[in-house]
Amino acid sequence: MAHADGATRTVIMTVDDDPGVSRAVARDLRRRYGATYRIVRAESGGSALEALRELKLRGDLVAVILADYRMPQMNGIEFLERALDVYPGARRVLLTAYADTNAAIDAINVVDLDHYLLKPWDPPEEKLYPVLDDLLRAWRAGDHRPVPSTKVVGHRWSARSSEVREFLARNQVPYRWYSSDEPEGRRLLSAAGQDGLRLPVVITPDGTPLVEPEAPDLAARVGLATTPTADFYDLVVIGGGPAGLGAAVYGASEGLRTVLVERSATGGQAGQSSRIENYLGFPDGVSGGQLTERARRQAAKFGAEILTAREVTGLEASGAARIVRFSDGSEIAAHSVILATGVSYRQLTAPGTDDLTGCGVFYGSALTEAASCQGHDVYIVGGANSAGQAAMYLSRGAKSVTLLVRGGSLAASMSHYLIRQIEETPNIHVRCGTVVESAHGDGHLERLTLRDAEGGGTELVDAQWLFVFIGAAPLTGWLDGTVLRDERGFILAGPDLTPDGRPPADWELERPPYHLETSVPGVFVAGDARAESAKRVASAVGEGAMAVMLVHRYLEQS
């Protein structure tokens, strides 16, 4: 349970499972900062996260979070890591005993810990207040203006409602969800002059109602940049996954006028991951949302423009310029282009799944739906890391999680560390050699027919939730006739452009293509969209950085 003073001031939060310690910390904070800041205390990581989410939805600000290390269910490091998703700009302090100093030092790398304090902190005038004063000064130096929340009124089993919620969540736009079946949702619909037949209805912070909004209009109305500020750039990066974000960071930081264009939300498939545990520098893992948000802020800090909800439909070489065309008919041009369009999950072909997509059948992790899975039986299709990470995340609240794997085992496609975690989680079950034959439901998923992959018998199971992670389809159809691709649609580059490694017949330069350069000079590819790429976050980021290095080389010789 969280307790608070005041109603409108910026928050300092303290979390400790010992009620006596919790009250003592809050008392000392109140004595020094109570006139200026609102002191919120919580006695568990779970209740503290609830309080943080409520504060976020109201548009309140949180300056500092202090958490005790030794708490049951969720220790202080785990709590601060999850708090990063809600308030990435808040300063983080770990309260720890002398015996846990090493854990506190490790946390500096795991959660960007700003400081750790040894208990007891008496006298606070010497050990507590000077630390908090410095952290508050640093926090105030940033831009932390409150952001009024957007309201979304929809139905639980509305596919479009699910898409809008996912779009807002992945773009870090605070919003509050209201079911159209509940009194407050009906009140908002009435105030917006809507009868609820067309959902969702999005009410922007300025009170404007948007009925079934398309992504570009929604993005513009909630404050996301959708329009370029110039007609010509040094570098256009197409795609905002790890490769595109890496390219934007390195391009902008090295002085190139850079714009990143993303059709949905930055992060790509990695941004939807509940936890990435094999990325260098994060020994305890990092959520895809955290990694994406840090990278996005880093790119923006260096001056890269980031355009959201802009779909690229064409690419053309015109002399020294590379022209990028958008679906609305507008265009921008640049000296160079990096294609980082990534991949999408392949669609299930089983009868019934198309009609139930967004209504119990989801592609990717759909983290906004995770809370609704509490206490339910969940099915996941796929045997690679993304499926395993989703299984571990959903198993925290679901009654059971069943992984449906076409192959004979997980070993061929999933990292060893994930396989071990799954084996050690009692409510995760793995069914190898099993596929979805069909999906059934009236308006939402109710049952699945499962079939033995070798042609055996079928089984009908009750199911309200199905998350699909089956293979990767490159998002490159719009490049048909522009750059060379392989038979599966992945972009060819460098020595892979031809079987013998020589430049293509229509290559116009004397030099051979650079390693990540496509069949069009000055157009490079990075990440999962490249043929024979490693399909890992770290390699995608590395290729984004390498592509920028090759862009420099190209510009110097042009």
Side-chain angles (χ1 to χ4, degrees), residues 7-29:
T8 60
R9 289 164 291 174
T10 296
V11 169
I12 297 174
M13 172 176 277
T14 174
V15 190
D16 199 302
D17 66 303
D18 185 322
V21 175
S22 177
R23 286 191 293 269
V25 177
R27 178 201 63 216
D28 286 344
L29 292 175

Side-chain angles (χ1 to χ4, degrees), residues 37-85:
Y37 294 89
R38 178 182 170 202
I39 310 303
V40 173
R41 70 180 180 90
E43 294 178 4
S44 73
S47 64
L49 285 172
E50 262 183 53
L52 286 174
R53 292 186 186 110
E54 290 177 9
L55 292 166
K56 185 76 170 182
L57 287 171
R58 290 203 301 263
D60 293 342
L61 300 176
V62 176
V64 177
I65 304 172
L66 301 93
D68 183 55
Y69 173 62
R70 287 185 177 268
M71 294 190 292
Q73 283 83 52
M74 185 190 307
N75 68 37
I77 295 174
E78 293 168 337
F79 161 71
L80 289 172
E81 184 181 13
R82 294 177 66 177
L84 265 173
D85 285 336

Side-chain angles (χ1 to χ4, degrees), residues 464-494:
Q464 284 189 308
W465 305 96
L466 178 68
F467 297 90
V468 183
F469 303 82
I470 50 169
L475 299 170
T476 61
W478 61 278
L479 288 166
D480 190 25
T482 303
V483 299
L484 291 179
R485 297 176 296 152
D486 67 13
E487 65 280 0
R488 295 178 299 162
F490 290 94
I491 300 170
L492 297 168

Side-chain angles (χ1 to χ4, degrees), residues 105-434:
I105 294 172
D106 291 341
I108 292 173
N109 291 324
V110 177
V111 294
D112 286 349
L113 193 68
D114 293 290
H115 208 281
Y116 68 89
L117 288 171
L118 294 177
K119 295 190 294 185
W121 59 90
D122 291 328
E125 290 77 11
E126 294 181 13
K127 298 184 178 180
L128 178 63
Y129 298 154
V131 171
L132 266 291
D133 288 345
D134 287 344
L135 293 177
L136 288 168
R137 263 194 302 273
W139 181 85
R140 286 194 298 268
D143 182 7
H144 301 290
R145 291 168 291 183
V147 180
S149 67
T150 297
K151 300 177 178 66
V152 180
V153 185
H155 191 273
R156 175 186 179 186
W157 299 120
S158 160
R160 186 65 189 128
S161 295
S162 177
E163 290 171 6
V164 165
R165 293 174 66 192
E166 193 78 1
F167 177 85
L168 293 173
R170 291 187 60 201
N171 280 292
Q172 307 293 320
V173 177
Y175 73 92
R176 181 170 289 187
W177 164 257
Y178 299 88
S179 172
S180 59
D181 294 333
E182 296 174 355
E184 184 63 14
R186 289 194 292 269
R187 186 192 70 78
L188 287 169
L189 287 174
S190 176
Q194 299 297 315
D195 54 15
L197 295 179
R198 296 175 60 199
L199 294 174
V201 174
V202 178
I203 301 170
T204 63
D206 64 4
T208 303
L210 308 174
V211 181
E212 296 181 317
E214 294 299 325
D217 188 32
L218 179 59
R221 297 296 189 96
V222 297
L224 298 173
T226 60
T227 305
T229 62
D231 297 324
F232 200 93
Y233 294 83
D234 294 317
L235 172 63
V236 175
V237 180
I238 304 174
L245 287 167
V249 167
Y250 280 91
S253 68
E254 293 172 12
L256 298 178
R257 186 164 191 183
T258 302
V259 59
L260 183 151
V261 182
E262 168 55 46
R263 68 189 185 103
S264 178
T266 51
Q269 285 188 338
Q272 296 176 279
S273 176
S274 54
R275 181 165 297 273
I276 301 167
E277 296 196 63
N278 57 355
Y279 189 71
L280 185 68
F282 293 89
D284 290 332
V286 60
S287 77
Q290 287 176 12
L291 195 61
T292 296
E293 175 61 11
R294 294 182 190 186
R296 188 197 63 77
R297 286 191 286 122
Q298 195 173 14
K301 180 187 78 171
F302 287 123
E305 288 182 42
I306 299 177
L307 307 182
T308 305
R310 293 303 301 267
E311 184 175 4
V312 177
T313 57
L315 174 63
E316 178 187 340
S318 178
R322 302 294 175 259
I323 299 171
V324 173
R325 292 194 172 88
F326 298 114
S327 57
D328 64 358
S330 62
E331 62 184 40
I332 55 176
H335 291 299
S336 59
V337 172
I338 294 176
L339 302 171
T341 51
V343 295
S344 64
Y345 291 113
R346 296 188 186 278
Q347 306 289 294
L348 278 177
T349 57
T353 53
D354 284 350
D355 293 338
L356 296 172
T357 297
C359 303
V361 177
F362 301 94
Y363 290 88
S365 55
L367 296 181
T368 54
E369 304 295 336
S372 301
C373 297
Q374 297 285 319
H376 293 177
D377 296 313
V378 176
Y379 288 81
I380 296 175
V381 181
N385 280 8
S386 52
Q389 290 158 354
M392 291 300 302
Y393 180 75
L394 292 169
S395 69
R396 299 174 186 173
K399 178 182 177 182
S400 71
V401 176
T402 302
L403 269 171
L404 305 175
V405 184
R406 178 183 288 272
S409 74
L410 294 173
S413 53
M414 189 177 292
S415 295
H416 179 64
Y417 79 90
L418 260 179
I419 296 175
R420 288 184 56 190
Q421 290 179 2
I422 287 170
E423 290 172 345
E424 294 168 0
T425 305
N427 64 334
I428 298 181
H429 314 288
V430 180
R431 292 184 55 164
C432 294
T434 305

